[in-house]
Amino acid sequence: MKKTIALWAALTAVALLMTGCASEDTATAPAPRTPSAGAETPPAGDPAGDAAGDSAGDKAPGAAAPAAYRKWGLKPFAAPPAPPATKPVVRRPGGPVPVISDIPTTEKIVFITIDDGAEKDPEFVTMMKDLKVPVTMFLTDAAIRGDYAYFAPLVAQGHGLANHTLTHPDLRTLSREAQRREICGQQTKLTQRYGTAPRLFRPPYGNWNEDTRAAAGTCGVDAIVLWRESMQIKNMQYQRGDRKLRPGDIILAHFRGPSELKGRTMTEMTATMLRRIQEQGFTVARLEDYV
């Protein structure tokens, strides 16, 4: 009997290695995605798809292997440049909180930010674990309080945790003190839940005034982060007339599901966004390394 069990285990291990399915999450790993229309896939036999042939130059931000990208119908990103020794956006001691829509840089990098937290697709957590593309999450307590635990693995993966108020109001309609309660209250909740104090803040709808800036400054915020492009269902919405990404642009996306995306999933929307970034020759860097 023992010999039979041992033989079965050995054969199973060989089968897993041959199919490329062996991992810590073998029992729960999702089935490989079929690349969406327009997605480029390396040809059969491409050494880039063989884990044994991976090299540092072939890997994406965070050192994700090409095989992980193919699983989601994507091509690997070029590695981003090393973060600057001195951050280009810094709040001076006693100075006002900077308000930014992009990062001063000549490198072909962009930054992905994802707002609210209403959609909690477990496949997205897996996708981010696989791809290791850095994102910054601007979370609203009203959207996440039903399942705080969903975001813990994303924080553990190293993605940025940022503030998007307690209840998502139009801050320009509130007094400075009411704005302070919205911002500082969410700082406290996120710190207590995830063990790290957010440094970045995004006002809902992008609406802010000088009271917002002053209130945020009292809550430990280092920068108010707006955006240059926003990801819709299939395409980017641009603020500039040339409809092109530029070095240092901050991209806005949302935690959305099929009901908001006309049947598409969060992972499908994210994959499309990543393709749009690659089509213009950009890679993704970590926002917190620059602010």
Side-chain angles (χ1 to χ4, degrees):
M1 182 66 179
K2 290 182 179 179
K3 289 183 178 180
T4 301
I5 293 173
L7 178 60
W8 178 85
L11 291 173
T12 301
V14 170
L16 288 173
L17 288 171
M18 292 179 66
T19 58
C21 296
S23 72
E24 293 179 0
D25 303 315
T26 299
T28 57
R33 270 57 177 177
T34 300
S36 302
E40 297 184 30
T41 306
D46 184 352
D50 185 349
D54 291 346
S55 65
D58 294 330
K59 295 181 180 180
Y69 277 81
R70 279 204 309 280
K71 171 182 172 181
W72 299 95
L74 295 166
K75 297 186 300 181
F77 276 93
T86 302
K87 292 182 179 182
V89 179
V90 177
R91 182 187 178 191
R92 305 300 175 188
V97 176
V99 181
I100 60 171
S101 299
D102 48 48
I103 299 294
T105 182
T106 58
E107 303 280 1
K108 293 205 74 174
I109 55 174
V110 294
F111 305 90
I112 295 175
T113 62
I114 310 179
D115 278 14
D116 301 339
E119 176 67 13
K120 302 169 184 68
D121 183 351
E123 291 284 271
F124 179 73
V125 178
T126 302
M127 183 185 209
M128 291 293 98
K129 181 181 178 182
D130 287 346
L131 301 185
K132 298 177 172 58
V133 173
V135 303
T136 299
M137 304 177 292
F138 287 85
L139 301 179
T140 297
D141 189 64
I144 70 173
R145 67 168 62 118
D147 188 1
Y148 289 119
Y150 171 82
F151 300 92
L154 291 166
V155 174
Q157 289 171 18
H159 298 293
L161 179 70
N163 186 329
H164 199 41
T165 71
L166 287 170
T167 66
H168 207 275
D170 180 347
L171 292 175
R172 293 185 304 190
T173 67
L174 303 181
S175 67
R176 180 179 298 187
E177 177 56 25
Q179 292 193 47
R180 192 194 68 78
R181 288 195 295 269
E182 281 282 343
I183 301 168
C184 290
Q186 182 64 339
Q187 287 286 100
T188 299
K189 281 185 175 289
L190 291 174
T191 302
Q192 290 174 342
R193 290 287 175 179
Y194 303 107
T196 182
R199 297 175 40 248
L200 307 179
F201 168 69
R202 173 170 285 156
Y205 317 106
N207 292 344
W208 65 281
N209 55 24
E210 288 303 319
D211 282 340
T212 311
R213 207 173 187 180
T218 68
C219 300
V221 169
D222 290 335
I224 293 174
V225 180
L226 304 179
W227 61 90
R228 285 293 186 182
E229 293 82 27
S230 61
M231 183 63 200
Q232 303 303 311
I233 297 173
K234 294 183 179 180
N235 292 296
M236 295 272 196
Q237 186 176 78
Y238 297 85
Q239 293 180 358
R240 304 184 187 97
D242 62 4
R243 296 178 57 80
K244 292 181 180 179
L245 296 172
R246 296 186 188 177
D249 276 2
I250 296 169
I251 299 171
L252 165 67
H254 291 84
F255 283 93
R256 289 175 175 162
S259 61
E260 297 86 14
L261 299 174
K262 296 185 178 180
R264 293 167 70 86
T265 64
M266 177 84 183
T267 57
E268 289 172 325
M269 182 271 293
T270 302
T272 301
M273 174 172 59
L274 296 176
R275 290 190 196 101
R276 298 292 175 263
I277 292 169
Q278 285 185 325
E279 287 165 0
Q280 298 188 48
F282 286 81
T283 193
V284 182
R286 185 174 182 270
L287 182 58
E288 287 78 2
D289 289 339
Y290 290 76
V291 183

